[in-house]
PDB file of all heavy atoms in Angstrom:
ATOM      1  N   ALA A  19      31.020   4.050  18.529  1.00  0.00           N
ATOM      2  CA  ALA A  19      32.139   4.433  19.398  1.00  0.00           C
ATOM      3  C   ALA A  19      31.645   5.239  20.595  1.00  0.00           C
ATOM      4  O   ALA A  19      32.171   5.122  21.706  1.00  0.00           O
ATOM      5  CB  ALA A  19      33.163   5.231  18.601  1.00  0.00           C
ATOM      6  N   LEU A  20      30.629   6.056  20.366  1.00  0.00           N
ATOM      7  CA  LEU A  20      30.091   6.907  21.432  1.00  0.00           C
ATOM      8  C   LEU A  20      29.348   6.098  22.487  1.00  0.00           C
ATOM      9  O   LEU A  20      29.414   6.412  23.682  1.00  0.00           O
ATOM     10  CB  LEU A  20      29.148   7.951  20.817  1.00  0.00           C
ATOM     11  CG  LEU A  20      28.507   8.975  21.745  1.00  0.00           C
ATOM     12  CD1 LEU A  20      29.568   9.901  22.347  1.00  0.00           C
ATOM     13  CD2 LEU A  20      27.458   9.785  20.999  1.00  0.00           C
ATOM     14  N   THR A  21      28.655   5.027  22.070  1.00  0.00           N
ATOM     15  CA  THR A  21      27.766   4.299  22.978  1.00  0.00           C
ATOM     16  C   THR A  21      28.286   2.944  23.448  1.00  0.00           C
ATOM     17  O   THR A  21      27.781   2.395  24.423  1.00  0.00           O
ATOM     18  CB  THR A  21      26.407   4.063  22.293  1.00  0.00           C
ATOM     19  OG1 THR A  21      26.615   3.262  21.115  1.00  0.00           O
ATOM     20  CG2 THR A  21      25.756   5.383  21.899  1.00  0.00           C
ATOM     21  N   GLY A  22      29.254   2.373  22.725  1.00  0.00           N
ATOM     22  CA  GLY A  22      29.743   1.048  23.082  1.00  0.00           C
ATOM     23  C   GLY A  22      28.938  -0.087  22.497  1.00  0.00           C
ATOM     24  O   GLY A  22      29.184  -1.257  22.790  1.00  0.00           O
ATOM     25  N   ALA A  23      27.944   0.231  21.664  1.00  0.00           N
ATOM     26  CA  ALA A  23      27.141  -0.782  20.981  1.00  0.00           C
ATOM     27  C   ALA A  23      27.441  -0.726  19.485  1.00  0.00           C
ATOM     28  O   ALA A  23      28.091   0.197  19.001  1.00  0.00           O
ATOM     29  CB  ALA A  23      25.659  -0.532  21.234  1.00  0.00           C
ATOM     30  N   GLU A  24      26.971  -1.735  18.751  1.00  0.00           N
ATOM     31  CA  GLU A  24      27.060  -1.700  17.294  1.00  0.00           C
ATOM     32  C   GLU A  24      25.753  -1.086  16.792  1.00  0.00           C
ATOM     33  O   GLU A  24      24.704  -1.729  16.827  1.00  0.00           O
ATOM     34  CB  GLU A  24      27.238  -3.111  16.724  1.00  0.00           C
ATOM     35  CG  GLU A  24      27.410  -3.134  15.212  1.00  0.00           C
ATOM     36  CD  GLU A  24      27.535  -4.545  14.656  1.00  0.00           C
ATOM     37  OE1 GLU A  24      27.685  -5.488  15.468  1.00  0.00           O
ATOM     38  OE2 GLU A  24      27.472  -4.704  13.424  1.00  0.00           O
ATOM     39  N   VAL A  25      25.822   0.161  16.346  1.00  0.00           N
ATOM     40  CA  VAL A  25      24.620   0.950  16.092  1.00  0.00           C
ATOM     41  C   VAL A  25      24.316   1.051  14.592  1.00  0.00           C
ATOM     42  O   VAL A  25      25.208   1.297  13.776  1.00  0.00           O
ATOM     43  CB  VAL A  25      24.758   2.370  16.680  1.00  0.00           C
ATOM     44  CG1 VAL A  25      23.510   3.208  16.390  1.00  0.00           C
ATOM     45  CG2 VAL A  25      25.004   2.298  18.187  1.00  0.00           C
ATOM     46  N   TYR A  26      23.042   0.869  14.274  1.00  0.00           N
ATOM     47  CA  TYR A  26      22.516   1.127  12.929  1.00  0.00           C
ATOM     48  C   TYR A  26      21.390   2.149  13.062  1.00  0.00           C
ATOM     49  O   TYR A  26      20.657   2.157  14.057  1.00  0.00           O
ATOM     50  CB  TYR A  26      21.968  -0.157  12.295  1.00  0.00           C
ATOM     51  CG  TYR A  26      23.034  -1.171  11.970  1.00  0.00           C
ATOM     52  CD1 TYR A  26      23.578  -1.982  12.972  1.00  0.00           C
ATOM     53  CD2 TYR A  26      23.511  -1.319  10.677  1.00  0.00           C
ATOM     54  CE1 TYR A  26      24.569  -2.908  12.687  1.00  0.00           C
ATOM     55  CE2 TYR A  26      24.492  -2.250  10.377  1.00  0.00           C
ATOM     56  CZ  TYR A  26      25.014  -3.038  11.383  1.00  0.00           C
ATOM     57  OH  TYR A  26      26.003  -3.953  11.103  1.00  0.00           O
ATOM     58  N   VAL A  27      21.256   2.994  12.053  1.00  0.00           N
ATOM     59  CA  VAL A  27      20.235   4.046  12.100  1.00  0.00           C
ATOM     60  C   VAL A  27      19.293   3.911  10.907  1.00  0.00           C
ATOM     61  O   VAL A  27      19.741   3.789   9.763  1.00  0.00           O
ATOM     62  CB  VAL A  27      20.866   5.450  12.106  1.00  0.00           C
ATOM     63  CG1 VAL A  27      19.782   6.527  12.075  1.00  0.00           C
ATOM     64  CG2 VAL A  27      21.763   5.640  13.327  1.00  0.00           C
ATOM     65  N   LYS A  28      17.998   3.957  11.198  1.00  0.00           N
ATOM     66  CA  LYS A  28      16.948   3.999  10.176  1.00  0.00           C
ATOM     67  C   LYS A  28      16.549   5.467  10.014  1.00  0.00           C
ATOM     68  O   LYS A  28      15.984   6.070  10.923  1.00  0.00           O
ATOM     69  CB  LYS A  28      15.764   3.147  10.624  1.00  0.00           C
ATOM     70  CG  LYS A  28      14.569   3.128   9.667  1.00  0.00           C
ATOM     71  CD  LYS A  28      14.855   2.382   8.387  1.00  0.00           C
ATOM     72  CE  LYS A  28      13.557   2.077   7.632  1.00  0.00           C
ATOM     73  NZ  LYS A  28      13.810   1.587   6.260  1.00  0.00           N
ATOM     74  N   TYR A  29      16.833   6.039   8.831  1.00  0.00           N
ATOM     75  CA  TYR A  29      16.721   7.483   8.621  1.00  0.00           C
ATOM     76  C   TYR A  29      15.328   7.881   8.135  1.00  0.00           C
ATOM     77  O   TYR A  29      15.136   8.250   6.976  1.00  0.00           O
ATOM     78  CB  TYR A  29      17.789   7.947   7.640  1.00  0.00           C
ATOM     79  CG  TYR A  29      19.186   7.923   8.214  1.00  0.00           C
ATOM     80  CD1 TYR A  29      20.002   6.797   8.077  1.00  0.00           C
ATOM     81  CD2 TYR A  29      19.688   9.014   8.917  1.00  0.00           C
ATOM     82  CE1 TYR A  29      21.282   6.764   8.610  1.00  0.00           C
ATOM     83  CE2 TYR A  29      20.968   8.994   9.457  1.00  0.00           C
ATOM     84  CZ  TYR A  29      21.754   7.870   9.301  1.00  0.00           C
ATOM     85  OH  TYR A  29      23.020   7.842   9.836  1.00  0.00           O
ATOM     86  N   GLU A  30      14.362   7.873   9.055  1.00  0.00           N
ATOM     87  CA  GLU A  30      13.006   8.297   8.701  1.00  0.00           C
ATOM     88  C   GLU A  30      12.895   9.804   8.512  1.00  0.00           C
ATOM     89  O   GLU A  30      11.876  10.297   8.022  1.00  0.00           O
ATOM     90  CB  GLU A  30      12.020   7.817   9.753  1.00  0.00           C
ATOM     91  CG  GLU A  30      11.715   6.337   9.691  1.00  0.00           C
ATOM     92  CD  GLU A  30      10.990   5.954   8.404  1.00  0.00           C
ATOM     93  OE1 GLU A  30       9.834   6.350   8.225  1.00  0.00           O
ATOM     94  OE2 GLU A  30      11.619   5.262   7.560  1.00  0.00           O
ATOM     95  N   ASN A  31      13.929  10.544   8.894  1.00  0.00           N
ATOM     96  CA  ASN A  31      13.932  11.988   8.634  1.00  0.00           C
ATOM     97  C   ASN A  31      14.069  12.313   7.151  1.00  0.00           C
ATOM     98  O   ASN A  31      13.951  13.478   6.755  1.00  0.00           O
ATOM     99  CB  ASN A  31      15.051  12.680   9.426  1.00  0.00           C
ATOM    100  CG  ASN A  31      16.433  12.189   9.063  1.00  0.00           C
ATOM    101  OD1 ASN A  31      16.612  11.070   8.559  1.00  0.00           O
ATOM    102  ND2 ASN A  31      17.453  13.006   9.315  1.00  0.00           N
ATOM    103  N   LEU A  32      14.272  11.306   6.322  1.00  0.00           N
ATOM    104  CA  LEU A  32      14.396  11.517   4.876  1.00  0.00           C
ATOM    105  C   LEU A  32      13.064  11.388   4.138  1.00  0.00           C
ATOM    106  O   LEU A  32      13.018  11.543   2.913  1.00  0.00           O
ATOM    107  CB  LEU A  32      15.417  10.533   4.289  1.00  0.00           C
ATOM    108  CG  LEU A  32      16.845  10.659   4.819  1.00  0.00           C
ATOM    109  CD1 LEU A  32      17.747   9.625   4.165  1.00  0.00           C
ATOM    110  CD2 LEU A  32      17.386  12.062   4.590  1.00  0.00           C
ATOM    111  N   GLN A  33      11.985  11.087   4.859  1.00  0.00           N
ATOM    112  CA  GLN A  33      10.665  11.051   4.214  1.00  0.00           C
ATOM    113  C   GLN A  33      10.306  12.442   3.673  1.00  0.00           C
ATOM    114  O   GLN A  33      10.918  13.445   4.057  1.00  0.00           O
ATOM    115  CB  GLN A  33       9.591  10.597   5.205  1.00  0.00           C
ATOM    116  CG  GLN A  33       9.749   9.175   5.712  1.00  0.00           C
ATOM    117  CD  GLN A  33       9.492   8.110   4.635  1.00  0.00           C
ATOM    118  OE1 GLN A  33       9.081   8.410   3.519  1.00  0.00           O
ATOM    119  NE2 GLN A  33       9.751   6.856   4.995  1.00  0.00           N
TER     120      GLN A  33
END
Side-chain angles (χ1 to χ4, degrees):
L20 182 66
T21 61
E24 183 182 350
V25 179
Y26 292 79
V27 177
K28 178 70 165 169
Y29 289 92
E30 285 295 292
N31 61 337
L32 298 180
Q33 296 291 354

